[in-house]
Amino acid sequence: MIQRFCLQTLMVSVMLGICALCGCTSKPAPSPDWVLVIHGGAGTLDPDASPAELQAYRQSLAAALAAGSAVLSAGGSSVDAVEAAVRVMEDDPGFNAGKGAALTIDGRAELDAAIIDGSTMKAGAVTGVTTVKNPISLARMVKEKTRFILFARDGAERFADEQRVERVDNSWFVTPRRQKMLDEHKAQLQTRSSIDQPSTFGTVGALALDIQGRLAAATSTGGLTGKMFGRIGDSPLIGSGTYANAFVAVSCTGTGEQFIRHAVASTLAARIELKGESVDQAANHMIHNVLNKDDGGLIALDRHGHVAMPYSTVGMYRGVARKERSANPVGHVAIFAEQSPVIILQTPESK
Ligand code: ASP
């Protein structure tokens, strides 16, 4: 099915003024066949990055959009789509999830992930896993093969032993770039007693609305560079960094402690359900009124296909693909708020 899906028709443009990418939802309610939204984190963004580096990130985002879009276009579920998109970003060393994850103070990868089906509110999550190549898939197994939601560290590894998931040595996750970031972080710690504002985000997330109207959300991360042993961020905590119900799906990125403190994802959903706010209003309120500047960003997708992607950092890696009735799918990716060239998505197989 995926092979038959021709993603060459997905035009990926990066431009300011596209409602989906700036969070504007003032247009009349769309009635899409399906929608996919992704983020690749709101940190480690260098406005002076070379055009080649930025283009590589756009291609990575496009590949993740392609994987999730292929599922949705073939009539697949929102849960399948978000897992597929997140797996692509976990495998990409450019993002802080799976290979290339941010490292703990001990120089190891300890990975967190969560997935939730908004139509059933069934969720699965893992935290502190060290040998699972794609933590999002283990989180999905927690959702589907147990009656529990969150498995931690040794317990999660033991659960992985019982499942058919690909395992790797912890060193497989460690990249020179993340090692350098950790070394710099440690050097900073020597001169200051603490680092107030960790600058290395880069978590990945995906949201989908499928042709049956079901919402889903998924988030995967290595956490923050230099995090202490056993630290758990917002990403695997349902309601903090990841959430979906019948109204909206949310995936967050940024300083996890802030997102936990304010239960950002579920509070956003409550504002829509109980207060009648639009996804745009609720998402912007959480990022700009509740959280502090530079805390991070989020993506949110409502049941009508409206998208919001606010952030208070320099930028946020992000993308949207959607299929309106009787039209070809269209996709967009963005990093900062400025206009960039158009690219065309390739199928994962044809890369
Ligand atoms: N929110 C993640 C955490 O605190 C980090 C990130 O978004 O990059 O674990």
Side-chain angles (χ1 to χ4, degrees), residues 268-279:
L268 188 163
R271 293 183 75 88
I272 292 174
E273 185 178 350
L274 305 177
K275 221 164 168 263
E277 287 187 347
S278 69
V279 67

Side-chain angles (χ1 to χ4, degrees), residues 39 41-43 96 112 200-204 221-224 227 231-236 252-257 259:
H39 73 79
N96 172 14
D112 301 339
T200 49
F201 306 147
T203 291
V204 307
T221 188
L224 300 177
K227 67 183 183 182
R231 179 265 187 189
I232 299 171
D234 60 314
S235 308
C252 304
T253 175
T255 307
E257 284 65 21
F259 286 81

Side-chain angles (χ1 to χ4, degrees), residues 26 68 79 81 93 99 112 125 152 158 160 196 219 229 238 255 264-265 270 305 329 333:
S26 55
V79 170
K99 189 167 183 72
D112 301 339
R158 203 165 142 190
D196 304 329
T219 313
F229 44 85
I238 299 299
T255 307
V264 167
V333 298

